[in-house]
Amino acid sequence: MTVIAWDGKTLASDSQATSGSIAEFGYQKIFAAPKNERWSIYNKRILVIGCSGEMAAIPEIIENLKSGIMFDTRGKMDAWGSIIAISEDKHVFVLRHHGDASNNLWEMSPMSFKRTLGCGGDAAYAYMAIGND
């Protein structure tokens, strides 16, 4: 099971990565923009991202964020998996992997909009609700 979840206040993830039938734990899936870097999507400053899917693609994702992801951004987006990004101006961006880069599209929602990526979404919301008393 893998999950990235946003409940309107908290971005959370599991730490599992799977290669074939082998699961490994301890992977970082949440990344904050360093104070000396500006990450952006459609010119909106991104503070933090959560990634699921191909972990080897994370360096490329971060490089694209540093350059500023726009509608015409190119790269191996088909290997990126799925991403939730939280912007400074209170928006949530979601990229869901749809097979190849020509089918990938960023969705933008208000920060209060709840989102999960991966198969553990319902469980993540439950655990986040317990922890946010």
Side-chain angles (χ1 to χ4, degrees):
M1 174 168 70
T2 190
V3 66
I4 305 295
W6 170 254
D7 70 354
K9 297 179 273 181
T10 304
L11 184 62
S13 75
D14 67 338
S15 64
Q16 178 180 324
T18 306
S19 178
S21 61
I22 299 172
E24 295 183 36
F25 298 90
Y27 282 86
Q28 179 181 349
K29 295 182 180 180
I30 306 288
F31 302 90
K35 292 184 189 250
N36 63 338
E37 291 180 7
R38 185 179 194 281
W39 294 359
S40 68
I41 299 173
Y42 304 148
N43 292 318
K44 295 190 179 288
R45 184 166 193 243
I46 301 301
L47 302 177
V48 64
I49 62 169
C51 303
S52 68
E54 181 59 56
M55 296 290 101
I58 291 171
E60 180 182 338
I61 295 166
I62 291 173
E63 284 304 310
N64 275 277
L65 285 165
K66 287 187 218 177
S67 300
I69 293 173
M70 300 298 283
F71 290 101
D72 60 349
T73 295
R74 298 289 179 250
K76 297 177 184 173
M77 290 177 73
D78 55 326
W80 286 12
S82 300
I83 301 162
I84 295 177
I86 310 302
S87 75
E88 181 178 57
D89 69 348
K90 301 185 180 346
H91 286 93
V92 178
F93 288 91
V94 177
L95 174 72
R96 288 188 179 270
H97 179 65
H98 295 290
D100 64 55
S102 65
N103 293 319
N104 288 333
L105 180 64
W106 289 97
E107 305 166 15
M108 185 177 75
S109 304
M111 189 174 276
S112 60
F113 194 72
K114 295 181 180 183
R115 293 304 299 248
T116 62
L117 301 173
C119 60
D122 291 338
Y125 283 147
Y127 285 113
M128 292 167 84
I130 291 168
N132 284 328
D133 288 341

